[in-house]
Amino acid sequence: MYPFVFLIALCLGIASATIELDQSLDAQWIHWKATHGKQYGMNEGWRKAVWEKNKKMIEQHNREQSQGKHSFTMAMNGFGDMTNEEFRHMMNGLKIEKDEKGKMFKIPFFADIYVPVDRRQTPAVSPGRCASGWAFSATGALEGQMFRKTGKRVSLSVQNLLDCSWPQGNEGCNGGLMSNAFQYVKNNGGLDTEESYPYVARDGPCKYRPEHSAANVTAFENIPQQEEALMMAVANMGPISAAIDASLDTFRFYKDGIYYDPKCSSEDLNHGVLVVGYGFQGKESDNQKYWFVKNSWGADWGMDGYIKMAKDRDNHCGIATMASFPIV
Ligand SMILES: *[C@@H]1O[C@H](CO)[C@@H](O)[C@H](O)[C@H]1NC(C)=O
């Protein structure tokens, strides 16, 4: 009897030494799991521990924010059960590399866990891990240019880009580049509508149908690597595709305010977004200028899916490093 009891006690002792769970958070954990459709097997304790750690980090940041130490707040979201290592690994599945021309980069675009914000609300899609940020960025910029040309708003197919732009060097749910996506539309002579070719967040065969095309691309332009040039482009052309460093926890859990993290890189770009505007808060003199940026991680993230990112602060997060737009 004794050895058996002792053994159990020992096991429990080890378990509680490795993972200390806060039972007062159980109800919140259950609610979070339900909200994000999460189910775990044996590793639930570990996942809860990661979630608790992230939750505490977010709360700590927000306490500091209320003391004036940060310009933005953070909030728990669907990424809450991942460690930063997992988050970075998911993002850095591909390495940034110069292409033959030495001009473009190979970008490991971010895994898209959510069905995105204000369109493509396809409940049938189970949340997959598809690095489609580059494709959302490209369709967003192309939709903007088509709107300028025709005055009509049409949602273009992200899935069409994921499935069909492999010959241009993209890799579907493993990542890609906006410029390769523009090149595809140009070569292909069209891009289908979202309605005819809906987003399913996983790789599949190319199902492009010319009769459902709603856009053309004749060329695309890379914007000089300066925030001033990016501003002129946004002002004159509309939404611009940009690549940024989105690998930090502060970005992962961004909620609102102007995002600035000294650790954000202007060279290690890993995520495609859409720069839709810019502005400033308070007095223009006290460094509160921002880029208004659309992300593709769902309305749950940031300000209804958008983020304000620090502007004119040394190309923060590389927003002007690799910006481009299509010509239609
Ligand atoms: C795209 O270009 C092709 C060839 O010029 C043309 O037939 C088609 O109508 C264009 N599509 C759109 C949506 O403008």
Side-chain angles (χ1 to χ4, degrees):
M1 191 69 176
Y2 276 122
F4 180 65
V5 171
F6 177 72
L7 193 64
I8 288 176
L10 192 69
C11 289
L12 291 175
I14 288 165
S16 66
T18 328
I19 304 174
E20 276 180 48
L21 297 175
D22 184 344
Q23 290 183 352
S24 72
L25 294 174
D26 283 357
Q28 287 183 57
W29 169 242
I30 288 165
H31 183 255
W32 182 86
K33 280 194 297 174
T35 304
H36 299 285
K38 303 276 185 177
Q39 282 176 341
Y40 308 96
M42 293 295 282
N43 64 350
E44 171 148 357
W46 158 248
R47 284 296 153 204
K48 183 171 184 246
V50 170
W51 174 85
E52 283 182 9
K53 195 161 171 255
N54 283 328
K55 188 171 165 18
K56 280 169 188 152
M57 169 185 66
I58 291 163
E59 285 164 359
Q60 175 66 24
H61 174 95
N62 289 345
R63 266 193 301 278
E64 290 171 8
Q65 193 272 339
S66 68
Q67 294 157 7
K69 290 185 190 161
H70 303 290
S71 54
F72 64 99
T73 59
M74 288 163 66
M76 179 51 78
N77 57 33
F79 297 125
D81 60 352
M82 297 170 74
T83 66
N84 183 264
E85 288 70 29
E86 288 171 315
F87 185 72
R88 281 168 183 268
H89 180 74
M90 190 166 79
M91 193 145 61
N92 296 324
L94 299 172
K95 288 275 161 270
I96 294 173
E97 52 188 50
K98 295 231 161 80
D99 76 353
E100 317 82 56
K101 284 163 256 154
K103 229 184 139 202
M104 289 184 270
F105 302 93
K106 183 78 188 169
I107 294 202
F109 282 109
F110 202 85
D112 206 63
I113 284 181
Y114 303 117
V115 176
V117 201
D118 46 30
R119 46 193 193 134
R120 296 169 241 273
Q121 305 260 340
T122 40
V125 177
S126 62
R129 295 201 167 173
C130 179
S132 53
W134 62 272
F136 277 95
S137 174
T139 53
L142 186 49
E143 285 162 9
Q145 295 311 306
M146 291 307 295
F147 177 69
R148 281 184 70 232
K149 186 179 176 181
T150 66
K152 276 186 267 176
R153 290 207 178 275
V154 58
S155 283
L156 298 169
S157 174
V158 168
Q159 197 65 40
N160 188 168
L161 292 177
L162 291 175
D163 295 343
C164 310
S165 65
W166 290 74
Q168 285 72 33
N170 289 332
E171 295 176 12
C173 284
N174 288 324
L177 282 175
M178 289 80 88
S179 50
N180 291 344
F182 300 144
Q183 187 65 50
Y184 161 76
V185 181
K186 183 181 177 209
N187 295 354
N188 188 51
L191 185 69
D192 283 350
T193 61
E194 168 63 19
E195 201 187 1
S196 70
Y197 199 155
Y199 185 57
V200 294
R202 59 176 183 272
D203 290 323
C206 181
K207 297 184 282 287
Y208 172 74
R209 301 264 301 277
E211 62 270 32
H212 292 144
S213 171
N216 276 323
V217 167
T218 58
F220 58 91
E221 209 150 294
N222 293 319
I223 293 160
Q225 299 184 338
Q226 295 143 11
E227 291 188 86
E228 183 73 22
L230 179 59
M231 184 171 78
M232 297 305 283
V234 173
N236 293 305
M237 304 307 297
I240 301 291
S241 289
I244 57 168
D245 174 16
S247 68
L248 299 174
D249 285 336
T250 48
F251 192 93
R252 170 160 59 134
F253 296 114
Y254 167 83
K255 186 58 195 170
D256 64 21
I258 299 178
Y259 181 75
Y260 180 82
D261 187 325
K263 292 199 266 324
C264 206
S265 170
S266 33
E267 281 138 37
D268 294 339
L269 312 178
N270 40 53
H271 184 45
V273 291
L274 194 65
V275 184
V276 297
Y278 53 90
F280 65 91
Q281 275 168 200
K283 287 197 281 303
E284 197 169 3
S285 53
D286 56 307
N287 248 350
Q288 295 196 60
K289 287 186 271 183
Y290 60 83
W291 296 107
F292 200 54
V293 172
K294 188 180 185 188
N295 199 359
S296 54
W297 293 347
D300 182 32
W301 180 89
M303 304 166 62
D304 263 336
Y306 288 77
I307 179 171
K308 289 176 176 174
M309 299 185 69
K311 176 174 174 287
D312 297 336
R313 291 188 75 178
D314 233 355
N315 188 20
H316 193 238
C317 302
I319 192 137
T321 303
M322 217 194 81
S324 65
F325 67 94
I327 295 164
V328 301

